[in-house]
Amino acid sequence: MPETARSTEDRPAGVRPLSRGPAALAGIAAVAVALGVAELTAGLLARAPSLVIAVGDTVVDSVPGWLERWAIATLGTADKPVLLGGIVLVSILLGAALGVLARRRFVPAAAGIALFAGLGTAAALADARNALGLTLLVGVLGAAAGTGVLYVLAVAMPRRAEPPAPVRGETPLSALDRRRFLAVTAGTTLLGVLAGVGGYLLSGRERLDDLRAAIRLPAPARPAGPVPPGAELDVPGLTPLFTPNEDFYRIDTALRVPVVDPGTWRLEVRGMVDEPFTLTYAELMELPQIEADVTLACVSNEVGGDLVGNARWQGVPLKALLDRARVQRGATQLLGRSVDGFTAGFPVLTALDVEEAMVAVAMNGEPLPADHGFPARLVVPGLYGYVSATKWLSAIELTGWDVDGYWIPRGWAKEGPIKTQARIDVPRAGGTVAPGRRPIAGVAWAPTRGIERVEVRIDDGPWREAELAESLDVDCWRQWYLPWEATAGRHRIAARATDGRGEVQTDQRTPVAPDGASGYPVVEVVVGS
């Protein structure tokens, strides 16, 4: 078929198509507006979902366990921004392709935008918490806006710029008024981006900060003890005793931090109990609370890694809630449920026996930050977070051991006790230090057991016992220090810890899956001459 006949199949008669470059830009602008309008609608409507987040959640829930472990090990806390950035990049490439298609065949390109929005809508509808009507509204408005922009940029503007005499081939961009086309396209893309940002800001994060600022924490009935002198060593580069909230590691499945209004939040205690009950945030805050210094660790933390942190937590003891509910015989697991659907389970006996296990409402003296579970979360000393540390808690459910939390079907062990670990903070791996007396220092942890000894070995020399900071609590890490007469050359430094039960950290190197990494932390440094 001749090009002139083919090019007019679904375009107004006499209109010549854009060249590929401008057409691709038109498609990118259309997709930017589609995403922006959808996100803005989701931000304006309280229960409407974000389609971008829905697609990301689908990806997270669908990828195999080995890929999830690789992402956490490789990207650490940057895994979520990388995933969302990847979704945006794919959207941009799709928009460019649809723009090129629209230059000759607008109807199939418009159908592509509808399919693009439809996939996001389907992903959102897969979550039973999303309302059907609002989800469809988000998808339809996004698709309509994107289609309209694509028509204006790829069809209407070329038609208005058409010269009187028909000319075969493509209309060069100069004939369309290059400046006007680029200005309109750039402005439209910017509006789409601003709409998306506006949708994010309307999600309530800033309002949540205001709500947190207005909360006055009650005095704990059982406060944590004072920090003893000598519990924190003065060594430059050494991890502080308490991890600042803004530096505390964050590993979870939430691509967007849930924004939970404490005024409407409820905590259910249900399942295999004789007396199920529900608490409001105000009622939870009125219950007697405890304070405890507890180190939390992620099961994905590599040996010597930084997915571990120590904080002073405040909350209601789990045992008090379970005693009120009257746990039934046969209930062997406590399953925490998050507002975003995440679940994590651990033995009921742990909740009853570990006094510091709590529904936490505060972290380092302030209401829980949004990133760390506001308004309430579970903190259970001695267990990796994947089986215990449910953030944005909505329910405590008593079940049998046959019910699996989120991570168990993905290849992780059913039980996750934290292994005894040491980490070398000073000197940094791969660094260079001057010869002379230098510190070797770090932290070691074995929650519920405590740390009794840390030893260091330099090259192939003997194990030397390090100086320990004063113990704050058996549930939190302990700093350690060893003076070293550093001599010129390359050196290999290893460390190992011994916990309060006399068990020495194993030298057997294992990966993080299925129940946490093990082995000695090792750093190599160069001492300059």
Side-chain angles (χ1 to χ4, degrees):
M1 181 180 291
E3 183 180 41
T4 52
R6 184 171 62 249
S7 66
T8 59
E9 182 174 329
D10 50 22
R11 298 175 62 86
V15 179
R16 298 187 303 280
L18 289 169
S19 57
R20 285 183 174 82
L25 293 177
I28 291 172
V31 167
V33 169
L35 289 175
V37 169
E39 292 300 299
L40 182 60
T41 304
L44 289 170
L45 302 176
R47 295 185 59 201
S50 162
L51 301 190
V52 174
I53 298 299
V55 171
D57 286 338
T58 300
V59 172
V60 170
D61 291 341
S62 302
V63 298
W66 66 266
L67 184 55
E68 287 178 313
R69 293 192 290 272
W70 175 87
I72 294 174
T74 305
L75 303 172
T77 55
D79 58 341
K80 296 174 183 64
V82 169
L83 174 57
L84 293 177
I87 293 173
V88 172
L89 177 60
V90 170
S91 301
I92 291 172
L93 295 176
L94 177 63
L98 292 177
V100 172
L101 176 62
R103 58 199 281 270
R104 294 185 181 279
R105 300 175 63 86
F106 176 75
V107 172
I113 289 183
L115 178 62
F116 171 71
L119 291 174
T121 303
L125 288 176
D127 189 338
R129 295 168 299 159
N130 294 328
L132 174 62
L134 291 177
T135 303
L136 292 176
L137 179 62
V138 171
V140 168
L141 290 180
T147 301
V149 168
L150 186 64
Y151 180 82
V152 169
L153 295 179
V155 177
M157 288 188 70
R159 180 168 56 192
R160 287 196 299 269
E162 189 70 16
V167 180
R168 289 181 177 273
E170 298 175 350
T171 303
L173 188 59
S174 57
L176 300 179
D177 184 356
R178 180 187 300 269
R179 291 181 180 176
R180 182 167 63 91
F181 178 86
L182 293 179
V184 171
T185 303
T188 303
T189 304
L190 179 60
L191 286 176
V193 172
L194 291 176
V197 172
Y200 174 80
L201 294 177
L202 288 170
S203 65
R205 182 68 178 262
E206 291 187 355
R207 178 174 175 271
L208 186 60
D209 291 339
D210 293 337
L211 290 172
R212 289 180 61 249
I215 293 172
R216 295 295 177 263
L217 296 173
R222 195 190 77 197
V227 177
E232 186 156 18
L233 302 176
D234 184 16
V235 178
L238 178 60
T239 298
L241 181 60
F242 291 103
T243 308
N245 291 355
E246 61 274 14
D247 296 333
F248 208 95
Y249 78 94
R250 180 196 161 202
I251 296 292
D252 51 56
T253 61
L255 291 177
R256 175 177 290 177
V257 174
V259 175
V260 184
D261 186 340
T264 59
W265 175 84
R266 299 291 185 273
L267 173 62
E268 293 183 76
V269 181
R270 66 192 191 201
M272 299 175 67
V273 296
D274 291 332
E275 301 289 343
F277 62 91
T278 301
L279 294 172
T280 65
Y281 185 71
E283 290 170 337
L284 180 69
M285 295 292 277
E286 290 174 355
L287 296 176
Q289 297 186 11
I290 62 172
E291 246 183 359
D293 300 322
V294 179
T295 293
L296 299 184
C298 179
V299 71
S300 295
N301 193 44
E302 300 282 356
V303 173
D306 59 1
L307 299 182
V308 59
N310 187 61
R312 176 161 289 188
W313 307 91
Q314 178 177 330
V316 176
L318 268 177
K319 186 178 186 304
L321 299 178
L322 297 184
D323 287 346
R324 173 176 169 177
R326 296 175 56 198
V327 178
Q328 296 174 359
R329 184 183 300 274
T332 54
Q333 179 175 228
L334 188 153
L335 192 74
R337 293 188 178 274
S338 171
V339 299
D340 68 350
F342 175 82
T343 56
F346 57 94
V348 172
L349 288 177
T350 300
L352 294 173
D353 291 346
V354 178
E355 293 183 356
E356 289 75 17
M358 71 176 80
V359 175
V361 296
M363 179 181 183
N364 287 332
E366 66 177 76
L368 287 172
D371 286 352
H372 297 292
F374 182 83
R377 62 168 294 165
L378 291 177
V379 171
V380 184
L383 297 180
Y384 286 119
Y386 81 102
V387 295
S388 66
T390 306
K391 296 191 283 190
W392 314 291
L393 186 66
S394 65
I396 293 172
E397 186 172 345
L398 281 300
T399 72
W401 197 242
D402 58 323
V403 179
D404 288 335
Y406 178 90
W407 286 110
I408 309 309
R410 290 165 170 79
W412 297 90
K414 182 74 171 177
E415 298 189 58
I418 296 177
K419 297 179 179 180
T420 301
Q421 292 281 307
R423 186 178 72 198
I424 302 171
D425 292 338
V426 181
R428 296 293 181 186
T432 300
V433 299
R437 193 176 181 84
R438 300 292 171 221
I440 300 174
V443 289
W445 59 92
T448 71
R449 306 180 301 278
I451 294 295
E452 288 299 319
R453 183 183 301 109
V454 172
E455 297 167 287
V456 177
R457 183 171 63 193
I458 302 168
D459 300 323
D460 295 323
W463 286 102
R464 298 167 56 190
E465 187 167 349
E467 174 188 338
L468 290 176
E470 289 296 323
S471 176
L472 182 60
D473 191 279
V474 295
D475 290 330
C476 65
W477 61 23
R478 200 167 177 182
Q479 295 177 336
W480 56 267
Y481 161 81
L482 179 75
W484 172 41
E485 290 295 336
T487 57
R490 183 178 298 273
H491 298 279
R492 188 172 184 268
I493 304 171
R496 67 182 184 189
T498 301
D499 67 23
R501 297 175 184 170
E503 297 181 6
V504 182
Q505 179 177 352
T506 179
D507 63 347
Q508 182 179 359
R509 199 83 176 190
T510 62
V512 296
D515 61 354
S518 66
Y520 295 158
V522 176
V523 300
E524 291 190 357
V525 296
V526 174
V527 178
S529 56

